[in-house]
Amino acid sequence: MQEKLSGAEIRQQFIDFFVEYGHTFVPSSSLVPGGDSTLLFTNAGMVQFKDVFLGTDQRPYSRAVNSQKCLRVSGKHNDLEQVGRDNTHHTFFEMLGNWSFGDYYKKETITWAWQLLTDVWKLPKERLWATYFKDELGEIPEDRQAAGVWLQQAGFDPDHLLAFGRKENFWEMADTGPCGPDSEIHFDRGPEYCQKSDDPHHVCQVNGDCDRFLEIWNNVFIQYNRLSENELVPLEKTHVDTGMGFERIVSILQDVPSNYKTDLFMPLIKYIQSLTGDSDAEREANLTPYRVIADHTRATTFLIADGVVPGNIGRNYVCRMLIRRSARFGMKLDLNEPFMANVARIVIENYGDFYPELKRNAAAIMDSLTREEKQFKKTVAAGLDHLDEILSDLRIGGKTILDGALAFDLYATLGLPLEITRDVAQEQGLDVDTEGFQEAMEAHRLASGAGEIFGEMGGEDVQIYADLLAKLQQSGELRATGVAYSPYQPIHEPTEILALVRDGKAVDKVGVGEQVAVLLPRTWFYVEAGGQVSDTGQIVSVNGNKWTIKITEMQKPAAGVIVHIGEVLEGQPKVGDRALVQVDQDRRHQIMRNHTATHLLHAALQDILGDHARQAGSLVAPDRLRFDFTHPQAMTRQEILAVEAHVNQAILANYPLQIAEKSLEQAMEEGAMALFGEKYGAVVRTISIGDQEDLSYELCGGTHVDETGDIGLFLITFEGSVAAGVRRIEAVTGWRAYQYARERMNFLDQANTFLGTAPSELLPKIQSMEEEISISKKRIKSLEGKLVKIKIKEQNQLSYVPEYDIQYLTEIFPNVDIGALRESTDIFQDNYTSGCIVLGSTDSNKNPIIVTAITEDLVDKGLHAGKIAKSIAKIIGGGGGGSARLAQAGGKDKDKLREALDQVPNILKNMLDEKKHKIDK
Ligand SMILES: [Zn+2]
Ligand SMILES: [Zn+2]
């Protein structure tokens, strides 16, 4: 083997090798899969090419090479608990791949793989093994072609070619769709790597499930389309999709026994070691926390760079959980101050040249990490203590499983993610009922009225539309790429109804009042994307029988399919009818104003607050725009006004908008802002605003005004928090902004008319009135208190509990505060030598309150004011207590106050009965 290459060099050599053979380098797509609500994170290299294989997206290249950022935190591909405990599991990892879209096939890709591994990287040929597909059921043909290519490779040992069945060597994207055989390349690390040599059942070989034979590269040959479980048809065009685990190949080329020992991780681990002061031997003896911290910090650094900040649901939850889990493993190393930002700094240094988004967002990454660590310390430390108590109770009770609802409670109230609870429990030999946790979370989600975390998955509808698409493509009624999308074209030509779907079934015609999904070969309606809502409008008949369908919703139920959803207002639309699409233009214009204003707002926020203020989500609707962005604290009023003024200045300057299509590479080089969660193809649409120098330059597929002056007026109506570190602004534009301002001015005018003031006098006037009111209130309070005292003094007849010869007084005084009630009981005690008083009122929130006092002699008899208050509190729906002589209570049900006071004689009697009963005993 040659001199050790660095990880960065290995990645670059892979890319250069394939670029040399005519491949286009395609940058990694975001960890947040664009336009795919079914996937939490990008988990493989093929995610960004999925639509190319499905035939609904086309690229200007037919050969590609990439290094894709991937994240796997759960599901069949990864168990988080394994991460850090062994040599190979990670949450974040990179996948190297070469791709052929209907271009080269098995011969080329296998030959190149062999050449790269043995010629360029000089791996010993005798250590390499290859597999190919042979169906154990004999239904799908054996992949003799791949086997044949392997046997032609110079120096490849024919004994190292092995056949495997469907589980190992047949790849499928889903239950239906593109699929095909694959060929894996394995590297033999030597018998000393086998950790199962003691296991008598272990056969040490390729796919033998030990660390000796590492799968390093999988070459997938996509040559079939699966229509159903038993129906496989050959594809016209065949493709190649390969994936090589980057961390793994680096560990082999650097000849280290673990991914964590490569230069991808060692700098992080060494830094953590410098904080703990451990010796190398101590570190090796306690390796798990080091690995977890290195893995999770690397993962969250990439996540935050892609716009995923710590939060409570979905992707944001994963980000939060990984940081908190890393912080807890830090505690095991006695790292009790925030430290991850400095680990992230090393990640950014080591990866920033290849993944420039890390450098661009360095400040936001480090800031988010530290803030989340601090929050963890503040809230979660208490949760961990509480968890320890619960677990020790469990053990004492002889139980081994922590209740799922309890684990959820720890999360909901103390911010302890399930994953951490499970870590802690497992460290103590216990387990957590994760199903129960999910149930409790689901129940909570339903109870709190929160929506689905990831929208709808499409369900059965997908199949109907996929079938329709296939049929229409075959008949030539639809292009290979599916429905044409023309939301930017102002002219709407007549078209034709290709299909109508009602209640999940394709139908020939529909009638008045029916809900229908309409499929046309082309649409001019914008379909919700990039935060901009879908257009609405109608589809009408062009000639023949007259009909109208009102369109309220747009959907993309399957790749390549766009449908218009709405209700038939008149007539009977049929498949094959000529049709004209009419987008609601007023609404569209309002949306365009808001969209362009969103770009100006984004630019203004970065200007005023700094580059860390990045988009974290947006909504562009006709009546308003909403913009979420990363910023650590609330904006000051000055900042809000400055941002608003910035946007309005840009509107008044009436800048033209330049809309262009160019390569993603060029746009990024020119400094265009890409937004996370958006899917970008090789050719992107860019929107730039400004004269000489761009004020704003973004990748965007939305619809926009021609000149900023069209926006009219921009007003911010709200600024607030959405999640830790994420702020939200809501704003209005155009006519809506005028209405908003007019409405505000009307209120002001009315107030001025009413008070007889000029606008500038209004505030001083209100302030002086407030002062007067507060003085008056105080006077009323004191008078009311006096009134109560007088009434109590004047009371000449107390009520009576004859059985025990006890006098008492109950009275309700509206709107008297609890202090005055307490004082009044003093008057009672001064005026009566023996007795019990209970006074009720309501507080400023209209909730019932009571005060009770008894004289000394009644205490001796066995009464207790605190207990009386508690009994009354039960009736008014609250709590109370106090000393033997004086007590108070508050409740929620003021209608029960009278009833409660009527119960006083019974309460007194019961209390004394009980006492008597005890003495009798
Ligand atoms: Zn083995
Ligand atoms: Zn936009």
Side-chain angles (χ1 to χ4, degrees), residues 771-917:
E771 239 164 77
E772 276 172 40
I773 291 169
S774 116
I775 292 167
S776 303
K777 271 189 181 162
K778 272 185 203 146
R779 290 194 56 197
I780 292 169
K781 274 253 156 5
S782 113
L783 287 172
E784 272 173 347
K786 278 180 190 152
L787 205 64
V788 174
K789 288 174 199 167
I790 291 167
K791 274 201 172 169
I792 289 168
K793 264 190 198 165
E794 282 176 349
Q795 195 83 34
N796 40 26
Q797 178 107 47
L798 297 186
S799 306
Y800 192 56
V801 184
E803 291 94 326
Y804 289 102
D805 187 24
I806 289 174
Q807 298 190 91
Y808 69 93
L809 172 64
T810 62
E811 199 74 63
I812 294 176
F813 298 102
N815 305 317
V816 176
D817 73 24
I818 201 139
L821 291 184
R822 261 198 311 261
E823 278 172 31
S824 308
T825 63
D826 291 346
I827 306 288
F828 176 80
Q829 305 231 29
D830 291 347
N831 282 272
Y832 295 92
T833 48
S834 174
C836 166
I837 180 169
V838 184
L839 300 178
S841 187
T842 45
D843 67 8
S844 52
N845 295 323
K846 304 251 186 287
N847 286 323
I849 49 173
I850 66 112
V851 172
T852 177
I854 58 176
T855 50
E856 187 73 45
D857 63 312
L858 294 188
V859 177
D860 297 339
K861 274 197 175 177
L863 289 178
H864 189 282
K867 289 178 187 164
I868 298 170
K870 272 202 181 109
S871 301
I872 294 173
K874 266 187 205 154
I875 303 171
I876 57 175
S883 68
R885 298 276 313 264
L886 179 66
Q888 64 191 53
K892 292 191 186 81
D893 196 349
K894 72 171 171 11
D895 296 335
K896 288 264 170 74
L897 192 54
R898 183 75 262 169
E899 181 193 328
L901 295 196
D902 288 346
Q903 284 299 319
V904 165
N906 287 334
I907 291 168
L908 298 177
K909 204 170 145 302
N910 288 343
M911 219 170 263
L912 291 168
D913 282 352
E914 215 172 280
K915 166 102 178 168
K916 187 158 159 256
H917 187 64

Side-chain angles (χ1 to χ4, degrees), residues 585-791:
Q585 291 299 340
D586 276 352
R587 188 174 173 278
R588 165 69 88 81
H589 276 121
Q590 292 171 30
I591 292 170
M592 296 195 317
R593 285 187 197 102
N594 283 337
H595 201 144
T596 307
T598 301
H599 286 213
L600 293 176
L601 171 62
H602 195 180
L605 285 167
Q606 297 208 322
D607 253 15
I608 305 285
L609 301 178
D611 284 346
H612 67 276
R614 292 181 308 126
Q615 174 162 356
S618 78
L619 170 74
V620 179
D623 59 336
R624 77 203 139 101
L625 65 94
R626 193 176 75 202
F627 190 79
D628 296 346
F629 57 101
T630 46
H631 184 54
Q633 70 264 348
M635 287 173 74
T636 64
R637 179 158 173 79
Q638 266 170 329
E639 284 168 341
I640 295 171
L641 292 179
V643 166
E644 193 181 77
H646 249 60
V647 174
N648 281 299
Q649 274 160 3
I651 291 171
L652 288 174
N654 201 22
Y655 293 123
L657 268 78
Q658 251 91 44
I659 299 175
E661 286 198 346
K662 53 187 74 168
S663 74
L664 178 62
E665 213 177 355
Q666 187 192 346
M668 297 308 284
E669 251 166 42
E670 290 168 356
M673 196 147 35
L675 305 181
F676 101 92
E678 289 306 313
K679 180 174 185 166
Y680 298 114
V683 176
V684 294
R685 191 163 174 269
T686 63
I687 314 284
S688 53
I689 309 175
D691 252 347
Q692 304 298 324
E693 213 168 294
D694 286 333
L695 205 65
S696 153
Y697 187 21
E698 289 193 21
L699 305 189
C700 176
T703 58
H704 288 269
V705 298
D706 295 334
E707 290 158 333
T708 56
D710 295 344
I711 297 169
L713 174 63
F714 169 86
L715 292 174
I716 293 177
T717 55
F718 172 81
E719 193 275 343
S721 162
V722 218
V726 182
R727 307 295 301 176
R728 167 170 295 177
I729 278 182
E730 287 180 1
V732 289
T733 64
W735 183 249
R736 189 71 197 85
Y738 166 76
Q739 284 177 316
Y740 179 83
R742 186 64 259 170
E743 195 179 64
R744 292 285 166 117
M745 277 165 16
N746 284 348
F747 290 141
L748 201 60
D749 291 347
Q750 283 166 8
N752 281 318
T753 309
F754 183 75
L755 295 173
T757 50
S760 63
E761 294 164 358
L762 187 62
L763 191 61
K765 177 79 180 174
I766 291 172
Q767 280 165 339
S768 83
M769 285 168 65
E770 271 265 293
E771 239 164 77
E772 276 172 40
I773 291 169
S774 116
I775 292 167
S776 303
K777 271 189 181 162
K778 272 185 203 146
R779 290 194 56 197
I780 292 169
K781 274 253 156 5
S782 113
L783 287 172
E784 272 173 347
K786 278 180 190 152
L787 205 64
V788 174
K789 288 174 199 167
I790 291 167
K791 274 201 172 169

Side-chain angles (χ1 to χ4, degrees), residues 212-226:
R212 175 175 170 182
F213 292 94
L214 283 187
E215 181 200 334
I216 52 176
W217 203 344
N218 191 10
N219 279 248
V220 180
F221 313 118
I222 302 177
Q223 64 187 64
Y224 300 112
N225 186 15
R226 184 178 283 287

